[in-house]
Amino acid sequence: MEYSNSSAVRALTMLFSQLPEDVLYQILSYLDYRSLSRLSQVCKTIYHFVNRDAVWKKIAKDFLNTGITRNGTDIYHHIPLKERVKIAQNWCDGVCNRAVPLKWKTKLLPWVQLDRDMLFLSQAAVIGGYSLCQDSGRLHRNPFEIYSGHKGDVCRFVLTDAHLISGGSDGKILVHHRRRGVMLELSGHNQEVNCLDSKDGLIISGSRDRTARIWTLTSSCPRDTIAMQDRVWSVAISPTLSSFVTGTACCENFSPLSIWDVERSECVCILGSQFRRGAGVLDMVFESPFQLFTCGYDTFIRLWDLRLSPRKCAMEWEEPHDSALYCIQTDGNHMIASGSSYYGVVRLWDKRQTRCLQFFQLSSQPASSPVYCLRFSSSHLYAALATALHSLDFSQNPIYIR
């Protein structure tokens, strides 16, 4: 029997060495992830071939948060695809290790951004930059960088390759150069800056003062000011840079979602008409130039297809416990992560189904807190609550993929 098995292995190895690679890729494309994992254990030759990213790309595109976006872009190209498919099983099954890397005593409204192996967290009037261990994703407790300058709390901030841009309750926008350490102050709002976004030198801000403002990095004054009919709670710049979207508090009899032309500062269209009073939009994210995700007080995540005329909600996912949704992030393909207003609930959604896939309650009943912001990498999710930063580590290996 041992001789028979070794002969079969040699025969299979010879087959692999004789067939053209494009034919092998075609054959392997019919195998699922379990079959590929078993096949890779046959011998070293097959192991090295089967472990190539090209073999796993088709499978990875069907899994959650593997870094392969809908258009085929690979976000986490430095991590082997087979490893990402392993971890994707844990995202789907909700298998993770929980930790609380940072705590503080005063209740805050923190915000978080991730940039490769760095995490940035706002606490009151300062923003700290923290290093993440590349292997474990653990947070170094002492920040390597502190960004300050606001006279009030930081409400929101965004990262670009060169800058950290923050909006505060003092009505100021501060542009910190991440390498040179210099700072530019943008003045114009007379109440807190609730939201902002920045791409390629363009900055859009929204405020409680019922205005949205367009800025550039070449001037400390706004290029344009747009009078709104309500407080502005969220903004997002389109990947094309030609338009942006504002989300308001919806306290007036108007839809909270509007699309604006950047050059003309004019409203292009209104999204939706069935929002009830008070259904403010708290967060939004462009996944492509024609796909916009929004969430807010009406308990729904909505996908808007901007190719349609009129532009319509193409799909929606409802928070099952009727909680407001404070924040969302997508993986660019199948997964959405959302943060709810009660008990620190984080939910994972598969866009291909309407029900919640997994949920995690991060705060206990006596200390209920919204999830003010969340961000995730290929293996970790970080959620900022009122008094702590929580992490979910999905990197442990599932038993059925070796």
Side-chain angles (χ1 to χ4, degrees):
M1 181 64 70
E2 183 178 349
Y3 176 80
S4 177
N5 285 340
S6 61
S7 298
V9 168
R10 285 197 298 271
L12 186 58
T13 305
M14 288 180 61
L15 175 65
F16 262 72
S17 63
Q18 293 172 0
L19 289 175
E21 287 193 354
D22 57 341
V23 175
L24 288 174
Y25 286 137
Q26 183 65 27
I27 293 171
L28 296 177
S29 69
Y30 291 97
L31 301 182
D32 62 15
Y33 63 93
R34 287 189 177 90
S35 300
L36 281 176
S37 298
R38 295 190 187 105
L39 181 61
S40 68
Q41 298 175 42
V42 171
C43 67
K44 288 184 178 180
T45 301
I46 296 176
Y47 173 84
H48 290 299
F49 187 89
V50 170
N51 277 14
R52 294 182 183 180
D53 279 1
V55 175
W56 288 88
K57 190 167 185 177
K58 180 181 177 182
I59 291 174
K61 196 168 184 178
D62 289 332
F63 277 71
L64 301 181
N65 196 30
T66 59
I68 304 298
T69 64
R70 191 176 298 274
N71 62 13
T73 302
D74 191 347
I75 301 173
Y76 309 124
H77 54 84
H78 58 288
I79 305 173
L81 266 177
K82 181 181 177 181
E83 296 304 312
R84 286 181 264 165
V85 171
K86 288 182 183 181
I87 298 171
Q89 286 294 311
N90 292 332
W91 286 92
C92 184
D93 298 336
V95 178
C96 64
N97 292 323
R98 305 187 186 196
V100 184
L102 290 176
K103 290 183 179 181
W104 49 90
K105 293 182 179 180
T106 306
K107 288 188 176 182
L108 303 174
L109 280 72
W111 198 253
V112 177
Q113 296 289 0
L114 282 179
D115 185 13
R116 295 182 289 275
D117 58 349
M118 296 176 287
L119 180 143
F120 295 82
L121 171 70
S122 65
Q123 295 173 280
V126 301
I127 301 168
Y130 298 83
S131 297
L132 298 170
C133 296
Q134 290 187 350
D135 296 332
S136 64
R138 291 180 180 175
L139 189 80
H140 291 281
R141 291 184 177 274
N142 297 319
F144 67 86
E145 190 85 54
I146 294 289
Y147 300 89
S148 60
H150 285 286
K151 296 179 181 178
D153 288 357
V154 174
C155 298
R156 293 284 176 95
F157 68 93
V158 295
L159 296 174
T160 67
D161 289 340
H163 299 95
L164 184 151
I165 306 168
S166 59
S169 61
D170 55 2
K172 306 294 185 183
I173 297 172
L174 301 182
V175 181
H176 301 267
H177 198 287
R178 294 172 60 182
R179 296 174 182 85
R180 295 202 298 264
V182 297
M183 183 180 71
L184 171 67
E185 182 179 302
L186 309 181
S187 300
H189 291 292
N190 55 42
Q191 294 189 52
E192 59 258 40
V193 180
N194 292 325
C195 53
L196 52 82
D197 195 11
S198 179
K199 286 183 175 67
D200 287 355
L202 173 69
I203 303 172
I204 307 294
S205 62
S207 171
R208 189 182 180 87
D209 65 8
R210 299 190 175 206
T211 66
R213 298 177 190 251
I214 304 173
W215 314 76
T216 64
L217 294 175
T218 58
S219 174
S220 60
C221 298
R223 195 197 76 187
D224 281 300
T225 298
I226 302 171
M228 308 291 289
Q229 296 159 331
D230 212 337
R231 293 165 291 169
V232 185
W233 280 349
S234 54
V235 295
I237 301 173
S238 168
T240 64
L241 304 180
S242 61
S243 62
F244 65 93
V245 182
T246 56
T248 65
C250 200
C251 292
E252 307 295 337
N253 295 319
F254 304 99
S255 171
L257 285 168
S258 303
I259 301 179
W260 302 84
D261 183 274
V262 169
E263 290 300 322
R264 294 178 290 143
S265 303
E266 294 179 357
C267 183
V268 175
C269 73
I270 303 295
L271 296 180
S273 59
Q274 303 301 317
F275 290 93
R276 66 177 184 265
R277 190 180 181 90
V281 177
L282 296 175
D283 200 10
M284 59 176 69
V285 58
F286 271 100
E287 197 170 80
S288 73
F290 53 83
Q291 287 185 316
L292 175 73
F293 288 84
T294 64
C295 71
Y297 276 118
D298 67 349
T299 75
F300 282 92
I301 301 170
R302 288 188 170 90
L303 165 61
W304 302 89
D305 191 333
L306 305 185
R307 295 170 296 185
L308 302 178
S309 183
R311 296 164 176 84
K312 294 181 179 180
C313 176
M315 196 168 180
E316 58 186 25
W317 300 264
E318 185 176 11
E319 215 286 339
H321 292 160
D322 201 33
S323 298
L325 295 169
Y326 273 51
C327 53
I328 52 173
Q329 188 186 358
T330 78
D331 68 348
N333 195 14
H334 298 306
M335 192 179 85
I336 307 171
S338 65
S340 301
S341 58
Y342 295 114
Y343 310 122
V345 171
V346 169
R347 296 186 184 275
L348 302 182
W349 309 78
D350 188 330
K351 298 175 192 173
R352 296 164 291 190
Q353 59 190 55
T354 55
R355 288 188 176 184
C356 168
L357 183 66
Q358 298 292 341
F359 85 97
F360 310 89
Q361 183 177 322
L362 303 182
S363 69
S364 58
Q365 181 137 357
S368 176
S369 165
V371 178
Y372 289 109
C373 184
L374 59 78
R375 294 290 182 263
F376 58 78
S377 63
S378 63
S379 58
H380 289 74
L381 184 146
Y382 302 92
L385 278 63
T387 59
L389 176 72
H390 293 252
S391 70
L392 303 177
D393 179 0
F394 294 88
S395 62
Q396 57 184 319
N397 286 341
I399 60 174
Y400 42 81
I401 301 185
R402 298 298 181 186

